[in-house]
Amino acid sequence: MRYLILALFLATPLAAQEIETDLELVLLADASGSIDADELLFQRQSYATAITDPAVVLAIQNTLYGSIAVTYVEWATNQATVVDWTVITDMDSATRFAAALIGPPRQARGRNAIGSALLYGMAQIENNDIRGFRRVIDFSGDSMGNTFGPPITQARDEVVANNITINALPILRNGDFMGNSLPLMYEQNIIGGPNAFVMPALSGPEFTDAVRRKLILEIAGTTPQTEYASLLLEGLQVGQ
């Protein structure tokens, strides 16, 4: 019987080993009714372009573990995982993640449910087989609507209490950075945790560059206001 048990053990695939990496990153992108099909595809293409930028790949390789784990989720009334957890270590793995972003159909629809989206992002981190040195939700959206689900601040506090940082990328549609209150509302109600920050982005071509800069800062574990961030972005020729 002992030998039979041993034989069965050797013939059975080992349980999934926990992966250690520098960063677990949930890319939580707006797919609510204000985002049409073209904008949805543009957002995916922007993240695909950003994640495969040599500067972003270099930032990943310069982390303590030389890797990060990323998943892409779209949110509306419901939430849908577009690309499951992927460990990125080099340009090849970044390219595979980017390619997987473009094909899937839209699965999240309806009005805004930001609180539910934040909790869904937390669940993706809490229930995977990955142990990240840091854990971050990268939230993007173009409003503060919250028609369904828990209050935004309640969800934010729960996420932060579980040692997860929330950063935010408010999408500004009118081109007015100074007069738009959305960044301030995101700062007051959505972001939280160590080194949390808001990085506004216009809805046009500048969106891709904002995503790239945001990814580099998240991978490096810093905020836009630091001298280190300025040196990092300048040295990697981002936003130029």
Side-chain angles (χ1 to χ4, degrees):
M1 180 63 68
R2 182 176 58 188
Y3 294 113
L4 177 60
I5 293 173
L6 177 60
L8 289 173
F9 173 78
L10 293 175
T12 303
L14 293 176
Q17 297 293 314
E18 189 174 61
I19 299 169
E20 293 190 356
T21 188
D22 198 83
L23 172 66
E24 294 173 70
L25 179 62
V26 178
L27 302 175
L28 197 57
D30 193 348
S32 62
S34 60
I35 306 295
D36 64 27
D38 289 338
E39 290 172 318
L40 187 82
L41 179 58
F42 177 74
Q43 286 184 171
R44 292 186 184 182
Q45 290 173 332
S46 293
Y47 278 96
T49 298
I51 202 72
T52 55
D53 188 284
V56 173
V57 174
L58 180 60
I60 293 170
Q61 294 175 327
N62 283 338
T63 62
L64 181 64
Y65 288 86
S67 69
I68 66 170
V70 186
T71 183
Y72 190 93
V73 174
E74 289 174 342
W75 65 270
T77 299
N78 65 309
Q79 306 84 38
T81 298
V82 179
V83 182
D84 207 348
W85 285 106
T86 304
V87 176
I88 298 178
T89 60
D90 54 20
M91 185 60 75
D92 286 343
S93 49
T95 300
R96 287 194 295 272
F97 181 87
L101 260 179
I102 306 304
R106 184 178 200 140
Q107 302 170 63
R109 293 177 175 84
R111 303 178 72 177
N112 291 354
I114 295 176
S116 296
L118 294 177
L119 294 182
Y120 184 89
M122 179 182 71
Q124 304 316 295
I125 292 175
E126 292 289 296
N127 298 322
N128 62 25
D129 294 320
I130 301 166
R131 179 165 55 178
F133 181 68
R134 293 175 294 117
R135 313 195 301 173
V136 173
I137 293 174
D138 180 331
F139 177 89
S140 64
D142 64 1
S143 78
M144 275 293 295
N146 196 52
T147 308
F148 301 95
I152 296 172
T153 54
Q154 177 183 316
R156 175 204 60 195
D157 292 345
E158 184 174 344
V159 172
V160 172
N162 280 276
N163 299 314
I164 298 171
T165 293
I166 306 170
N167 297 325
L169 193 153
I171 304 170
L172 309 183
R173 294 182 173 277
N174 61 7
D176 182 6
F177 274 92
M178 299 304 295
N180 197 305
S181 62
L182 192 61
L184 178 60
M185 289 190 290
Y186 275 27
E187 181 176 347
Q188 293 175 339
N189 296 281
I190 294 180
I191 70 168
N195 290 329
F197 65 88
V198 171
M199 180 172 287
L202 296 175
S203 57
E206 294 87 351
F207 180 81
T208 304
D209 187 61
V211 170
R212 182 173 56 169
R213 289 184 284 115
K214 189 166 186 284
L215 285 177
I216 287 176
L217 296 181
E218 287 170 332
I219 292 164
T222 188
T223 63
Q225 295 79 20
T226 64
E227 182 178 354
Y228 173 57
S230 299
L231 293 173
L232 181 66
L233 296 178
E234 179 182 0
L236 294 174
Q237 298 183 339
V238 174
Q240 299 180 2

